[in-house]
């Protein structure tokens, strides 16, 4: 049944397919709440009691951008993901860029220029509260600044998102690497990381970086993150503007999927070399098989995330990778 639904979705235009996927997941969510036994214990609360520890159901998570409004993390966890990154959420709701804004690119890639379309933090928090108690895997909130917030004031957006969402989530991912909000990627700097340190909550905190940064710049940022008490590590990587331009001639948007893998792998390897065992790495970018997931693990990733691979291969890929990694749960201290 899931197999056929997934095949039908792939026949629809990409954003229409995404809306239908969310609709179907919402139906599944109703079924779960009505008919399946759910734990009724907030993992956020559990992890708070377990002083400075976060326990992942398994090492495979869903990357940011799929459940932008935190509406369907519960059914997604039932598909087998060991954690879910919801968002990107911004303080105020945003429409995002005009449509069309996602394209399928062969082989097994996507280019998107969504532009942080989301319901805003107030509604996002309500959505989280509604189903958080039923969900037993960690939920990380991916946060970003509003399009109209100038970079000089961006830290205020992150600060308010931290304080609004800290009670509801198990950790945060700071998104300063989306190519679809003008100027956002300039925040990938030591100075901005220092501002983040001043406002960071007592929660696990990762910084999500772009694969298009020079290795020297990445190295500096990794060193800063390593030396800071505030950050638990990095999410590597976001989508690539460079691949969108060089391989598909698109000057706008970010590429994800098949051709991103090598670059993301390179970033993970460099990061692990610098972090040694001190910090954690969540790897994302072109992972669409057990072999690729294992390669990321070998290069030093603690956790793995999917987006485009999940779009093309569907729920079967989740089961395959979880089984292939042959891990049960995974615990991180912070
Ligand atoms: C349609 C789409 C929307 C995305 N939205 C977000 C987002 O809101 N925030 C974010 O940090 N990353 C976002 N991403 C990036 C993914 O989380 C991931 O970093 C990237 O797609 C690389 O992984 P993949 O090759 O497995 O897709 C988005 C990706 C896609 C394809």
């Amino acid at each position: 049944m899931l197999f056929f639904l997934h095949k039908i979705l792939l026949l629809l235009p990409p954003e229409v397919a995404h809306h239908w996927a969310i609709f179907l997941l919402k139906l599944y969510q109703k079924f779960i709440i009505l008919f399946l036994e759910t734990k009724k214990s907030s993992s956020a609360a559990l992890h708070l009691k377990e002083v400075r520890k976060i326990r992942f159901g398994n090492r495979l998570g869903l990357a940011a951008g799929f459940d932008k409004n935190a509406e369907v993390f519960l059914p997604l966890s039932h598909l087998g993901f060991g954690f879910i990154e919801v968002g990107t959420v911004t303080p105020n709701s945003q429409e995002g860029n005009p449509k069309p804004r996602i394209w399928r690119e062969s082989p097994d890639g996507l280019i998107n220029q969504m532009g942080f379309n989301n319901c805003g933090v107030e509604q996002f928090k309500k959505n989280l509260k509604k189903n958080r108690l039923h969900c037993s895997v960690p939920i990380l909130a991916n946060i970003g600044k509003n399009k109209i917030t100038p970079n000089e004031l961006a830290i205020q957006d992150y600060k308010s998102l931290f304080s609004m969402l800290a009670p509801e989530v198990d950790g945060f991912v700071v998104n300063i690497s989306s190519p679809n909000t003008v100027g956002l990627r300039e925040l990938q700097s030591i100075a901005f990381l220092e501002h983040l340190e001043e406002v960071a909550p007592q929660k696990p905190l990762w910084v999500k970086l772009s694969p298009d940064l020079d290795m020297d710049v990445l190295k500096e940022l990794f060193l800063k993150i390593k030396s800071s008490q505030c950050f638990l590590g990095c999410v590597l990587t976001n989508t690539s503007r460079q691949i969108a331009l060089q391989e598909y001639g698109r000057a706008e948007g970010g590429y994800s999927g098949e051709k991103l893998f090598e670059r993301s792998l390179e970033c993970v390897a460099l990061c692990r070399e610098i972090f040694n065992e001190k910090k954690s790495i969540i790897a994302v970018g072109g992972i669409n098989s057990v072999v690729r997931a294992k390669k990321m693990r070998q290069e030093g990733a603690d956790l793995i995330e999917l987006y485009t691979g999940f779009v093309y291969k569907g729920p079967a890929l989740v089961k395959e990778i979880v089984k292939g990694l042959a891990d049960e749960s995974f615990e991180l201290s912070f």
Side-chain angles (χ1 to χ4, degrees):
M1 164 91 152
L2 275 182
F3 175 82
F4 289 112
L5 284 174
H6 173 242
K7 292 288 167 216
I8 292 167
L9 290 179
L10 282 178
L11 298 174
L12 302 173
E15 195 162 348
V16 177
H18 188 255
H19 284 302
W20 273 99
I22 298 289
F23 173 76
L24 292 169
L25 285 163
K26 282 183 181 168
L27 287 184
Y28 184 30
Q29 178 156 271
K30 289 205 167 111
F31 174 82
I32 292 168
I33 292 171
L34 280 174
F35 299 110
L36 300 184
E37 202 179 314
T38 54
K39 289 206 167 157
K40 277 271 178 190
S41 62
S42 158
S43 76
L46 266 179
H47 295 131
L48 280 177
K49 274 182 234 147
E50 269 182 40
V51 184
R52 301 181 78 79
K53 278 214 171 122
I54 178 167
R55 188 178 302 137
F56 296 85
N58 60 62
R59 291 182 192 259
L60 182 70
L62 180 68
F66 191 93
D67 189 8
K68 280 184 184 282
N69 294 326
E71 295 170 301
V72 288
F73 54 86
L74 173 64
L76 286 164
S77 73
H78 276 248
L79 294 182
F81 287 110
F83 64 104
I84 315 279
E85 201 180 316
V86 288
T88 297
V89 62
T90 56
N92 297 312
S93 65
Q94 292 191 157
E95 298 248 312
N97 291 320
K99 294 176 189 169
R101 50 193 182 177
I102 319 182
W103 298 267
R104 295 192 183 104
E105 299 287 0
S106 183
D108 286 8
L110 293 171
I111 291 182
N112 91 82
Q113 52 178 98
M114 304 297 286
F116 290 170
N117 53 308
N118 77 99
C119 62
V121 70
E122 297 240 351
Q123 183 60 47
F124 186 91
K125 187 170 173 170
K126 283 184 196 155
N127 295 347
L128 268 173
K129 278 188 160 191
K130 202 162 123 197
N131 288 316
R132 192 69 192 91
L133 290 179
H134 297 285
C135 185
S136 60
V137 305
I139 302 296
L140 309 181
N142 179 305
I143 58 173
K145 77 168 190 74
N146 274 118
K147 181 181 175 180
I148 59 161
T149 307
N151 277 5
E152 305 78 70
L153 300 180
I155 195 63
Q156 296 308 328
D157 279 12
Y158 290 94
K159 186 179 175 187
S160 70
L161 290 160
F162 284 142
S163 65
M164 285 280 288
L165 295 175
E168 311 303 333
V169 296
D170 296 284
F172 287 95
V173 176
V174 172
N175 184 357
I176 45 178
S177 49
S178 166
N180 302 317
T181 296
V182 177
L184 184 81
R185 297 194 298 173
E186 288 159 23
L187 300 177
Q188 298 176 114
S189 67
I190 304 292
F192 194 70
L193 293 182
E194 283 169 359
H195 289 316
L196 283 171
E197 283 178 304
E198 286 161 19
V199 299
Q202 286 279 322
K203 283 267 162 167
L205 177 59
W206 287 266
V207 181
K208 185 166 181 178
L209 297 173
S210 165
D212 298 336
L213 288 170
D214 286 343
M215 282 308 205
D216 288 346
V217 177
L218 273 174
K219 207 169 167 176
E220 256 184 71
L221 296 171
F222 294 155
L223 283 166
K224 170 70 196 164
I225 289 166
K226 181 185 174 184
S227 68
S228 168
Q229 296 282 341
C230 288
F231 304 112
L232 202 55
C234 285
V235 178
L236 298 166
T237 66
N238 213 314
T239 57
S240 170
R241 168 70 50 91
Q242 223 156 288
I243 300 178
L245 183 64
Q246 284 166 4
E247 300 277 333
Y248 299 97
R250 284 189 190 268
E252 308 267 292
Y255 174 87
S256 58
E258 175 71 30
K259 293 186 186 182
L260 181 56
F261 180 72
E262 287 306 324
R263 178 62 186 165
S264 295
L265 189 70
E266 219 176 3
C267 296
V268 167
L270 175 69
C271 187
R272 178 50 69 205
E273 197 183 311
I274 289 171
F275 279 0
N276 39 62
E277 295 309 311
K278 277 200 152 181
K279 300 275 175 184
S280 68
I281 302 174
I282 303 179
V284 56
I287 300 167
N288 54 16
S289 64
V290 177
V291 172
R292 286 188 168 191
K294 283 187 172 169
K295 266 197 179 170
M296 281 294 191
R297 289 276 294 127
Q298 277 157 14
E299 291 298 342
D302 299 295
L303 297 160
I304 306 285
E305 284 182 347
L306 303 179
Y307 192 126
T308 308
F310 179 56
V311 168
Y312 281 98
K313 296 196 170 165
L317 181 64
V318 182
K319 300 241 165 358
E320 235 174 85
I321 294 183
V322 171
K323 196 168 158 218
L325 289 178
D327 288 326
E328 305 222 317
S329 61
F330 170 64
E331 211 167 72
L332 266 181
S333 299
F334 62 97

